[in-house]
Amino acid sequence: MNTTKTTHNRRSFLKTSLLSGGGMMLSVSWLSSFKSADKLQTLNLPEQSAMLNGYIQITADNVVKLLCPNPEFGQNVMTSLPMIVAEELDVDWKNVVVEMGPHDNTKLGAQFTGGSNSVRMYWKPLREAGAAARHLLRQAAAQTWNVPVEEVTTKAGVLSHANGKSANYGEMAGKAATLEVPKGLKLKAPKDFTIVRKSKKNVEGQKIITGKPLFGLDYRVDGMLIAMIQHPPAFGMKLKSFDALQTLKMPGIKEVFSLKLYEDGFEQGGFDTRTFNDLLVVVGKTTWEVMNARKKLLAQWEPVGDTKDVMAGRGGKREVVVPGGLESTSTQLEKMQELSQKPAQQLRKDGDPETAFQHAAQVIERTYNAPFLAHNCMEPMNFFAHVTDEKAVLAGPLQAPGWIEPTLSKILNLPADKIEIQMTRMGGGFGRRAYGHYLTEAALISRKAKAPVKLIYTREDDMTYGIYRPMYTATYRAALDANKNLIAFHVKGGGIPEHAIHANRFPAGAVENYLAEGWQIPSNITIGAFRAPRSNFNAAAEQSFLDEVAEAMGKDPIEFRLELLKRAKENPVGKNNEYDPDRYAGVLTLVRDKSGWNKPGNEKYNRGVAAYFCHNSYAAHVVDIVTRDGQPYVERVFSAMDCGIVINPDAATNMVQGAVVDGIGNAFYGALTHKNGAAEQSNFHNYRLIRHNEAPKSIDVHFVENDLDPTGLGEPPFPPVFGAVANALYKNKGKRFYNQPFQNEMDKRM
Amino acid sequence: MATYNLKINGKIRQVNVDPATPLLWVLRDHLDLPGTKYGCGVAQCGACTVHLDGTAVRSCQLPASAIGKQAVTTIEGLSAKGDHPVQKAWLEHDVAQCGYCQAGQMMSAASLLKTNPKPTDEEIDAYMSGNICRCGTYLRIKEAIKSTAKK
Ligand code: FES
Ligand code: FES
């Protein structure tokens, strides 16, 4: 991980320049401070943002071009980020052209899509960029018309003065480009927004519906070859030897070679995770030819044994032992069961939980389990690379070009300015494409093949050669006194290879005696961020457990949560509570009101509720299940979100609806299991994804209206879906489900 | 290797490929028509959906040798200007998130509407369930199909 400059003092450098044809270009560089506790924990990002720079270009014929700094994977940043600039620039959205920016962390900032960061991170800088450009245009008009700048107004890209003079931005752009950039600009009050908070269509909508080549898999150049990797058949195995004779005889095949991704001792950054280090590569002319020829490889594999990875990190270099062995899900579950009984690391303690549990009138204890999950981005991993001795050009789907560039620079022995990474639209990301190993693989293959190459993972490669959501477990205990008051709460979480516990989150702060503990089991199965890392398990387990506790206390589940939040607000227990009780309660009351919770008219439904805070935002859902063809079916969902100011409401609604569908699908069906190190699922015939007929008929999304700076939306709605589904399922089936995926537990397959 | 004269989007296109090559890869690798997407290669996701004589088929399962004189339509040829009613409805409902599955979704929807201009929710589910959307845009897809049916 590389941090460029960091500072807590906000300074900005704005630079104007003349565009050919007489327009203006405004470059804005910021040294800005921003802090994100959540992101630091879940994604190991640097503590402050790097330099940030936004581009606005206005041509003499009044075309306004805005660059999107962050890669797009379906969360609609290519529309929402430019909307933020356009708002302060006060331009007619119809005249705006959006382009994906180049990878340039110095000029365009962190350029990382993930952690629900895009809008949160760019909100202020992009507003300031827009405001600065608008001011320069007003100044240019003031000078031209010989009037004070304060008297020049703007409206939708037109400058005017009370004396009747008016001009569009394009006419003043050339002059504006010669002016000094002002200091201390005032930003609009939210009540004056005309673009932000008004739904705008996806700027790439027309290209998507006409099948334009937007994605990495669509990228091609003349003479480009196709490469595929044959990876070991199981975690814990490596290549011993191979015979490519038959493969090389197949039509279109150029060469077969083996490749070491990282040399021994290579210092890996946090996002350099790779699944297998020794790769067998087939290079040929077309995808189908390479796919077929690869099947003819005769490869011998052998156990890797324990290996050592060297990790670079903030605390300096450290060695991590990756255990050898061929792991199976059944034995992993046994091991987790065993470790859950042993002492664990204490993560937080308030009051005296041990005594409280000893004196409890009733103790409720439940254990929850969840499997590895494969991301299954619709577009499998792939990347284009053309590497020569002088430079490297790469193009494809990637969430964080700035994280892989230093790795490439070291491995290819090329300075960063000789590495060009183009960001294509991504066919989904969900955290998977934060790990750029497939890009490094493509680069090494291109260098060895001495040709432009596109590395393609088949669906089977993508699923069995993954960086999965870890396998988690957690045991929750609640102590009630004789009057059924909650007097103590204990969570002990574990996982392979990490636990999911966020010790300072709700209900920490709301219960007098509280204990959080964690333990972990190392593994050679590679894991990484998956939409709302850790939270996606916690919300499932904790929110199911709270439902059960409320029931034992004879309380309504929403009222019970609101009471706890009231306590956390008025008389918080302990320190470092991460959430804002008011915002948390806000989404609960909103979803209660919108769903008609406890109101007549909903008798046909088995209802479940859950709420969660993660990635700086708050989400609550009410899930309504009916029985359809003998099976529980989520027919209706109500969602309430608090993510501060919503930039693009319709697109935000789309994203929440998508998160709900994703959550229902993974709660019911998602699972990646292993036998002797080999993934037991390889394609969509045995890895079940939610389909049209299983999606709800309606998902009614509501946003808390406030003027808070945006706090992010891609991840927060996802985790509580699991809990709400579990709670509704209990009402539907009359029994609680503790093991994901629920469909397997219903069918007794786990 | 064999030579085929395929009728694609109203034009005859000649390709020289292994007869077993699926239409999907003929389109993507040989004819520069990458609008048709690869998602699974085993008829499970629908990303590769095209029309064969007007009916939706999975191009990952259709070998070049089996096409013969049948007319192939891909997303690039669904309409001349991107204004097929399904495409218009997709824009109106701003359906796409990542967008990767949407060509396949639209090709399936267009085929459904051709034989069944006013499908019920259940008929939409039955016809469309072979098309996976990992981003979860199913509700909007259904709304878009229904709005087309109303017109
Ligand atoms: S690629 Fe053909 S159905 Fe998935
Ligand atoms: S829009 Fe992303 S897979 Fe459907």
Side-chain angles (χ1 to χ4, degrees):
Chain A
M1 174 77 46
N2 258 25
T3 311
T4 44
K5 286 181 190 162
T6 60
T7 174
H8 281 286
N9 302 319
R10 181 168 202 84
R11 286 186 291 151
S12 61
F13 309 98
L14 295 94
K15 238 181 69 196
T16 48
S17 45
L18 214 52
L19 269 188
S20 57
M24 82 179 280
M25 176 158 92
L26 178 77
S27 325
V28 195
S29 305
W30 273 271
L31 290 172
S32 71
S33 105
F34 88 98
K35 207 165 134 43
S36 153
D38 188 70
K39 186 189 61 184
L40 286 175
Q41 284 181 8
T42 57
L43 290 163
N44 307 315
L45 283 180
E47 274 173 53
Q48 285 91 24
S49 79
M51 233 178 156
L52 187 54
N53 187 316
Y55 276 119
I56 298 166
Q57 297 180 18
I58 301 172
T59 62
D61 52 1
N62 206 28
V63 175
V64 179
K65 188 158 98 183
L66 304 180
L67 286 193
C68 177
N70 269 17
E72 171 71 79
F73 65 14
Q75 81 288 38
N76 221 353
V77 279
M78 271 190 85
T79 308
S80 54
L81 294 181
M83 279 172 74
I84 298 170
V85 183
E87 177 67 67
E88 293 290 344
L89 184 57
D90 196 9
V91 69
D92 190 343
W93 182 249
K94 285 202 298 290
N95 295 339
V96 170
V97 178
V98 177
E99 267 177 30
M100 180 51 69
H103 171 234
D104 186 336
N105 289 141
T106 315
K107 288 185 181 154
L108 291 175
Q111 298 195 284
F112 159 62
T113 285
S116 300
N117 267 316
S118 298
V119 165
R120 188 156 54 92
M121 186 190 292
Y122 283 97
W123 169 245
K124 271 226 171 84
L126 292 182
R127 289 179 78 193
E128 287 172 0
R134 175 173 167 268
H135 188 88
L136 290 172
L137 291 158
R138 287 170 66 219
Q139 254 181 333
Q143 288 179 15
T144 310
W145 300 335
N146 228 337
V147 297
V149 65
E150 296 73 34
E151 291 175 11
V152 178
T153 58
T154 63
K155 195 171 179 203
V158 178
L159 296 144
S160 44
H161 186 266
N163 67 11
K165 289 244 190 308
S166 89
N168 67 34
Y169 283 3
E171 293 169 65
M172 290 296 164
K175 187 172 182 75
T178 64
L179 301 175
E180 279 288 302
V181 175
K183 289 209 172 68
L185 290 163
K186 235 182 100 201
L187 299 177
K188 277 188 181 177
K191 68 172 175 37
D192 298 325
F193 288 162
T194 59
I195 294 173
V196 164
R197 285 184 161 158
K198 306 273 184 302
S199 295
K200 301 282 177 236
K201 301 263 195 252
N202 188 331
V203 295
E204 292 208 303
Q206 187 69 28
K207 289 182 187 161
I208 290 169
I209 60 145
T210 49
K212 293 286 177 297
L214 297 171
F215 300 92
L217 211 59
D218 305 339
Y219 187 94
R220 64 166 54 237
V221 301
D222 285 345
M224 183 182 89
L225 298 174
I226 300 292
M228 287 194 191
I229 289 170
Q230 181 65 51
H231 65 76
F235 288 90
M237 302 286 275
K238 67 171 189 192
L239 184 65
K240 186 178 177 199
S241 63
F242 69 94
D243 170 356
L245 213 66
Q246 296 306 315
T247 302
L248 288 165
K249 281 190 194 151
M250 299 286 285
I253 299 308
K254 297 273 184 199
E255 54 182 321
V256 176
F257 50 80
S258 68
L259 199 75
K260 210 170 185 176
L261 186 63
Y262 300 148
E263 293 302 331
D264 295 342
F266 174 76
E267 277 181 46
Q268 294 179 45
F271 287 81
D272 286 335
T273 310
R274 49 84 175 90
T275 301
F276 298 105
N277 205 46
D278 295 293
L279 308 167
L280 185 49
V281 181
V282 181
V283 182
K285 270 178 19 203
T286 67
T287 316
W288 178 247
E289 287 168 325
V290 174
M291 230 182 239
N292 269 335
R294 187 176 64 161
K295 292 187 191 136
K296 304 273 186 208
L297 282 173
L298 294 174
Q300 304 282 319
W301 313 96
E302 62 185 353
V304 194
D306 292 357
T307 50
K308 270 191 199 131
D309 275 351
V310 184
M311 309 300 293
R314 263 180 284 163
K317 223 163 68 154
R318 76 201 148 90
E319 282 195 347
V320 177
V321 177
V322 181
L326 306 178
E327 299 178 21
S328 296
T329 303
S330 52
T331 41
Q332 285 169 330
L333 281 168
E334 281 166 25
K335 244 197 203 167
M336 293 211 305
Q337 162 72 16
E338 194 187 310
L339 266 243
S340 71
Q341 308 299 321
K342 301 218 164 116
Q345 186 198 353
Q346 182 178 308
L347 304 169
R348 169 167 169 158
K349 185 171 163 179
D350 298 318
D352 184 355
E354 288 84 2
T355 311
F357 274 101
Q358 269 164 24
H359 294 112
Q362 185 185 356
V363 173
I364 307 165
E365 176 177 331
R366 300 288 182 264
T367 297
Y368 301 82
N369 293 303
F372 290 108
L373 293 176
H375 296 79
N376 288 325
C377 302
M378 216 58 218
E379 177 194 19
M381 298 308 115
N382 68 87
F383 229 87
F384 167 84
H386 191 189
V387 177
T388 61
D389 289 343
E390 288 76 43
K391 63 173 186 166
V393 177
L394 300 109
L398 187 69
Q399 286 176 231
W403 297 352
I404 193 70
E405 194 184 73
T407 304
L408 280 173
S409 173
K410 269 186 265 171
I411 289 181
L412 299 176
N413 201 15
L414 284 173
D417 64 352
K418 297 286 181 235
I419 298 172
E420 181 190 332
I421 304 174
Q422 294 169 30
M423 301 176 286
T424 61
R425 191 177 182 87
M426 289 177 265
F430 309 103
R432 178 64 180 87
R433 294 193 224 267
Y435 305 90
H437 63 92
Y438 52 98
L439 181 151
T440 311
E441 290 161 7
L444 287 173
I445 294 168
S446 167
R447 188 169 72 175
K448 177 124 185 184
K450 298 200 182 346
V453 165
K454 168 87 70 67
L455 169 66
I456 297 178
Y457 283 27
T458 60
R459 173 58 58 196
E460 288 80 3
D461 297 335
D462 188 274
M463 209 179 282
T464 60
Y465 182 1
I467 306 229
Y468 308 111
R469 196 283 298 266
M471 196 169 169
Y472 291 125
T473 186
T475 300
Y476 287 82
R477 293 198 303 149
L480 306 185
D481 68 12
N483 297 322
K484 296 209 177 291
N485 293 312
L486 175 63
I487 53 169
F489 191 93
H490 174 205
V491 55
K492 185 170 173 185
I496 301 175
E498 60 156 35
H499 67 74
I501 302 305
H502 287 290
N504 296 323
R505 292 214 185 142
F506 185 77
V511 190
E512 204 59 52
N513 303 294
Y514 174 92
L515 176 63
E517 301 174 288
W519 52 268
Q520 38 212 27
I521 301 172
S523 168
N524 55 26
I525 296 175
T526 37
I527 61 101
F530 184 109
R531 194 175 203 169
R534 303 193 255 276
S535 302
N536 59 37
F537 172 68
N538 288 329
E542 165 210 299
Q543 290 292 310
S544 306
F545 185 65
L546 287 179
D547 207 65
E548 213 165 331
V549 173
E551 193 183 24
M553 294 167 75
K555 286 191 175 163
D556 173 78
I558 295 182
E559 282 313 310
F560 170 54
R561 286 171 174 81
L562 291 175
E563 279 170 24
L564 290 174
L565 289 162
K566 192 161 175 255
R567 163 77 209 259
K569 180 185 177 180
E570 290 171 357
N571 182 18
V573 181
K575 283 197 277 289
N576 304 325
N577 299 324
E578 280 174 18
Y579 56 96
D580 175 341
D582 280 336
R583 293 181 75 188
Y584 210 132
V587 291
L588 271 165
T589 49
L590 183 61
V591 85
R592 180 189 65 194
D593 298 345
K594 295 294 179 186
S595 68
W597 185 256
N598 287 340
K599 290 269 164 18
N602 299 301
E603 293 74 12
K604 113 174 218 218
Y605 298 105
N606 304 121
R607 319 196 86 185
V609 66
Y612 201 69
F613 156 77
C614 74
H615 295 85
N616 304 286
S617 293
Y618 299 78
H621 306 289
V622 166
V623 158
D624 286 347
I625 288 186
V626 295
T627 302
R628 186 182 68 174
D629 305 327
Q631 286 284 330
Y633 163 60
V634 178
E635 188 175 276
R636 206 171 69 165
V637 178
F638 295 88
S639 304
M641 300 295 312
D642 181 351
C643 58
I645 290 169
V646 178
I647 311 299
N648 191 3
D650 186 53
T653 300
N654 195 353
M655 189 150 61
V656 176
Q657 290 171 329
V660 169
V661 171
D662 191 4
I664 296 170
N666 275 299
F668 273 102
Y669 315 123
L672 187 88
T673 57
H674 293 90
K675 188 147 194 201
N676 297 326
E680 292 185 289
Q681 294 75 24
S682 58
N683 205 323
F684 300 135
H685 65 291
N686 54 11
Y687 195 112
R688 189 166 167 190
L689 293 184
I690 188 166
R691 292 175 182 270
H692 274 276
N693 58 326
E694 291 142 354
K697 286 196 198 309
S698 72
I699 301 172
D700 199 1
V701 180
H702 301 272
F703 293 94
V704 171
E705 280 177 37
N706 58 37
D707 288 344
L708 298 172
D709 285 353
T711 50
L713 190 62
E715 284 154 313
F718 182 61
V721 178
F722 293 75
V725 165
N727 297 337
L729 205 52
Y730 163 62
K731 294 281 173 51
N732 181 266
K733 302 292 274 186
K735 99 183 235 313
R736 297 263 176 196
F737 289 81
Y738 300 102
N739 301 302
Q740 293 174 35
F742 301 136
Q743 188 68 46
N744 285 11
E745 203 185 354
M746 273 187 269
D747 300 345
K748 299 258 177 311
R749 271 192 278 137
M750 187 145 166
Chain B
M1 290 289 171
T3 301
Y4 299 98
N5 290 306
L6 302 175
K7 194 172 169 197
I8 295 174
N9 296 335
K11 288 196 198 102
I12 301 292
R13 307 282 304 262
Q14 196 176 75
V15 288
N16 184 33
V17 295
D18 172 354
T21 310
L23 174 60
L24 169 65
W25 298 112
V26 174
L27 295 169
R28 293 188 57 85
D29 281 0
H30 299 269
L31 296 174
D32 200 20
L33 289 169
T36 305
K37 296 294 185 252
Y38 166 72
C40 70
V42 294
Q44 287 288 325
C45 77
C48 65
T49 308
V50 299
H51 293 173
L52 201 60
D53 279 345
T55 304
V57 295
R58 308 290 183 233
S59 66
C60 68
Q61 296 302 300
L62 187 70
S65 59
I67 300 165
K69 295 201 176 345
Q70 300 173 92
V72 174
T73 308
T74 71
I75 187 68
E76 290 94 340
L78 184 60
S79 65
K81 296 199 179 111
D83 57 357
H84 183 282
V86 162
Q87 289 169 311
K88 286 208 283 201
W90 248 246
L91 277 190
E92 197 179 301
H93 290 84
D94 215 10
V95 170
Q97 285 187 37
C98 82
Y100 193 79
C101 73
Q102 300 297 349
Q105 304 277 3
M106 284 185 284
M107 295 310 281
S108 287
S111 173
L112 163 67
L113 288 163
K114 207 166 156 190
T115 50
N116 183 357
K118 290 199 185 314
T120 62
D121 280 12
E122 287 67 31
E123 287 167 339
I124 295 173
D125 280 345
Y127 198 90
M128 299 297 295
S129 283
N131 286 82
I132 292 173
C133 174
R134 177 67 182 85
C135 299
T137 63
Y138 296 127
L139 279 79
R140 282 172 190 242
I141 290 173
K142 194 176 283 173
E143 285 309 310
I145 292 175
K146 291 205 300 204
S147 75
T148 317
K150 273 188 213 123
K151 281 175 187 158

